[in-house]
Amino acid sequence: MLMPFPARISQTIHPAPKFFGLHHSHDCRWWGARSKVVFPPLCAIGAGNGAPSGDNVKKRQIAEHIILLRTNPNISDAEEKDMLDYLYTCQYQMRGILTVSLGRIEDPNSENFTHAVFMRFQQKEDIAKFQSSAYYSKVLDGYVKPVSYGLVSVDFESEVEDDIIPLFRRGEDFNYGVEFMLLISFSETASKEAVEDALAHLQNLIIQYSSFIVQATLGCCLNHIDNRYSHAAVIRFPSLDDFKLFRGSIEYKDMWASKFRQYTTRSLDLYFIVDPVGNQLM
């Protein structure tokens, strides 16, 4: 039985020291996570955050799962609440889910998505188990499909520090904030060097703005040949002001204009506000 959360809600289990992990997927060499010249496997961000840094940090591979929904324009507050409640509670119904964050997308977007869900799994095989589970099918049939007309999922692998705080995204920093999702599809004609250069600039910008970022993961999308996007990133900001400072910065705009725009065939950036979460389940 579910706890009744607030009607308009974004939920998450709580976070992490500031860091930025990259993982090299076997089917996407362009990401180059193992290249020390372009992408070190893990780059600790920020000083004094209580996290060890450098290559001595023990890392853990994880799988990130993004669900994007298009809900009906006439969805009621009660229907939205039930949909989000049941999606959020999936983490308590099956093994493998490390954390969940979800909410209503704040700004209009070209794909007309209205809600986003972020899930972290221990390994990519757990995503397939989740998608084929009886409980998830029940949630989709009972609370998602009746109030929506489109669902897209994107999966990617990354690395985080192998510690309970960054792994499960626990701590005060994750009680509030903004979840930012960036989805990119590079052109087939873009060279490996151009793609690596663009992604390296994104990494460097995240490092530069580390004091405004709680956690960031990104990687090459799994099964990206059959997917609309080849790369994805999820960045948690402690506040809306911090997020706007990052995305509205001259550095971010210049990076996008000079390093990404000419090499991408499709891109999508979405964000939602994370509200505090109750600590009681029924």
Side-chain angles (χ1 to χ4, degrees), residues 4-5 10 16 29 41 70 79 95 103 112 120 129 153 171 173 184 209 231 233 243-244 282:
F5 291 110
S10 303
R29 291 172 294 171
R70 300 182 183 95
E79 290 171 331
R95 299 171 61 89
N112 295 319
R120 174 172 293 167
K129 294 178 182 178
S153 63
D173 288 343
I184 303 167
Y209 278 80
H231 296 81
F243 163 67
K244 290 183 176 179
M282 295 175 58

Side-chain angles (χ1 to χ4, degrees), residues 222-267:
L222 302 173
N223 302 318
H224 68 281
I225 295 177
D226 300 323
N227 199 295
R228 292 172 60 85
Y229 301 99
S230 61
H231 296 81
V234 176
I235 307 175
R236 168 61 72 86
F237 293 86
S239 71
L240 183 60
D241 288 341
D242 292 321
F243 163 67
K244 290 183 176 179
L245 180 65
F246 176 82
R247 196 175 66 164
S249 67
I250 295 177
E251 292 86 355
Y252 183 86
K253 294 178 179 179
D254 287 348
M255 175 200 70
W256 193 261
S258 62
K259 301 297 180 180
F260 281 90
R261 185 170 296 157
Q262 61 181 317
Y263 300 115
T264 58
T265 57
R266 182 182 295 107
S267 65

Side-chain angles (χ1 to χ4, degrees), residues 9-11 65-71 80 83-84 87-88 100-106 109 113-119 152 179-181 183 234 268-274:
I9 191 164
S10 303
Q11 325 220 21
H65 181 58
I66 297 172
I67 303 173
L68 302 175
L69 299 168
R70 300 182 183 95
T71 56
E80 180 187 34
M83 178 187 71
L84 295 178
L87 285 170
Y88 180 74
V100 176
S101 178
L102 51 78
R104 184 190 300 169
I105 295 170
E106 288 297 310
N109 56 86
F113 293 119
T114 59
H115 295 77
V117 183
F118 167 72
M119 294 183 173
V152 173
E179 203 82 86
F180 176 51
M181 299 175 176
L183 306 177
V234 176
L268 184 66
D269 61 337
L270 310 166
Y271 75 95
F272 59 86
I273 307 297
V274 177

Side-chain angles (χ1 to χ4, degrees), residues 15-20 42-54 57 161 163 165-166 170-174 206-207 209-216:
K18 302 175 178 66
F19 68 94
F20 181 66
L42 183 79
C43 194
I45 298 180
N49 58 19
S53 60
V57 176
E161 183 187 350
D163 183 82
I165 292 177
R170 295 183 177 177
E172 294 182 1
D173 288 343
F174 270 85
I206 291 176
I207 295 173
Y209 278 80
S210 62
S211 60
F212 301 94
I213 293 173
V214 179
Q215 187 184 74

Side-chain angles (χ1 to χ4, degrees), residues 181-201:
M181 299 175 176
L182 179 61
L183 306 177
I184 303 167
S185 180
F186 284 101
S187 169
E188 294 181 357
T189 59
S191 67
K192 174 183 176 182
E193 291 75 18
V195 173
E196 289 186 344
D197 183 50
L199 297 172
H201 275 76

